[in-house]
Amino acid sequence: PLTGKRVLINAGPTREQIDPVRFISNYSTGKMGIALADAASDYGAEVVLVLGPVERHPEDPSVKVINVVSAGEMASECISAFPGCDIAILSAAVADFMPAEQYDRKLKRQGEGMILKLKPTDDIAASLGRIRTGSQLLVGFALETHDEILHASAKLKSKNLDLIVMNSLRDEGAGFGHDTNRITLIDRNNIIDKFELKSKEEAARDILDKIVALLNAEKDETK
Ligand code: CTP
């Protein structure tokens, strides 16, 4: 169903360096995004995966992997690959903040403690939402702990997405580190599809099937 389409996917965490031996990051393992890359390739797409620092990698050797470390590197790789792509799926757990200052020498332990000043990173999804064309399909993720649908719908609109994949940390077996996920899809027309707890591979196919349905709906609208 995705033959002839180019798909950009980002996945995994990012690391924001404090000094040569320390960084800020999160618990993302990249499993969901890697499952999406393998499934999209299986659906016939040409896939570029911009991947943060994780242990695993896609099984399908035809997926082109671009390894990155920081949010800044992930943003520039995604922004340069995006114009040639038909679909972008932004599953990465991009760090929201980075140290305001990076130290090139190891910080020494001294005094009572320290205050680390942080500054926001670029929002990759929002940046792609600003440069997208009408024929490109943009899909984001939302990890929520409360008022899930409300927050995910707000992200869909503010980042100019077509579809958002919502995970709730209140659901057992969903989110970081699990082999399973329980997703809710919210599309640009506010149609909401809730799925049962499934393997991340099956959840990836549910997401891609929805993307294929949105592409087909666009084709019908332009007829
Ligand atoms: N995202 C991004 N760049 C960032 C932060 C988030 O591209 N610097 C993307 C994620 O990849 C995801 C979507 O934005 O597709 C939502 O991410 P999420 O962490 O749920 O939300 P935030 O926008 O970071 O908002 P908050 O942390 O306040 O919930």
Side-chain angles (χ1 to χ4, degrees):
L2 290 177
T3 300
K5 300 287 181 199
R6 271 180 73 95
V7 183
L8 167 68
I9 298 173
N10 69 11
T14 64
R15 283 183 188 169
E16 312 308 319
Q17 190 177 316
I18 301 169
D19 70 12
V21 296
R22 304 182 179 97
F23 57 82
I24 296 172
S25 192
N26 59 62
Y27 290 113
S28 169
T29 59
K31 266 183 204 163
M32 189 65 241
I34 291 171
L36 274 164
D38 277 326
S41 179
D42 198 39
Y43 274 28
E46 199 183 313
V47 182
V48 179
L49 175 65
V50 181
L51 186 58
V54 289
E55 294 294 316
R56 61 188 63 232
H57 50 79
E59 279 171 21
D60 187 334
S62 64
V63 172
K64 183 183 172 198
V65 180
I66 301 174
N67 291 109
V68 295
V69 177
S70 66
E73 285 166 17
M74 186 175 272
S76 58
E77 291 295 347
C78 289
I79 289 166
S80 67
F82 185 54
C85 292
D86 305 288
I87 301 161
I89 310 175
L90 306 169
S91 69
V94 186
D96 284 319
F97 293 97
M98 62 189 285
E101 198 177 335
Q102 281 179 18
Y103 299 88
D104 52 12
R105 298 171 75 180
K106 187 181 172 205
L107 289 170
K108 301 308 282 179
R109 177 161 36 160
Q110 51 186 216
E112 291 293 298
M114 73 173 287
I115 292 171
L116 186 63
K117 192 168 181 213
L118 303 178
K119 63 179 183 186
T121 56
D122 288 336
D123 187 325
I124 302 172
S127 304
L128 299 189
R130 282 190 291 270
I131 61 173
R132 63 171 291 178
T133 65
S135 61
Q136 287 176 306
L137 202 92
L138 199 53
V139 182
F141 272 65
L143 182 62
E144 306 296 343
T145 57
H146 59 283
D147 298 325
E148 291 88 344
I149 301 273
L150 201 73
H151 285 132
S153 302
K155 286 176 193 174
L156 173 91
K157 288 194 184 69
S158 68
K159 301 186 194 222
N160 197 19
L161 310 174
D162 298 291
L163 179 67
I164 196 152
V165 182
M166 195 275 285
N167 297 132
S168 172
L169 277 190
R170 284 200 286 188
D171 285 329
E172 238 169 79
F176 289 167
H178 294 282
D179 289 325
T180 49
N181 207 354
R182 186 163 176 203
I183 57 166
T184 297
L185 300 182
I186 307 170
D187 76 12
R188 57 185 176 224
N189 301 315
N190 210 25
I191 309 258
I192 300 176
D193 298 308
K194 290 187 180 184
F195 294 84
E196 292 306 310
L197 186 70
K198 294 182 176 191
S199 71
K200 286 190 170 168
E201 287 70 26
E202 287 170 300
R205 284 171 185 271
D206 290 335
I207 296 165
L208 292 178
D209 289 341
K210 176 72 187 189
I211 289 173
V212 170
L214 287 173
L215 290 174
N216 288 340
E218 253 168 41
K219 246 192 265 165
D220 290 343
E221 276 162 28
T222 52
K223 259 184 201 164

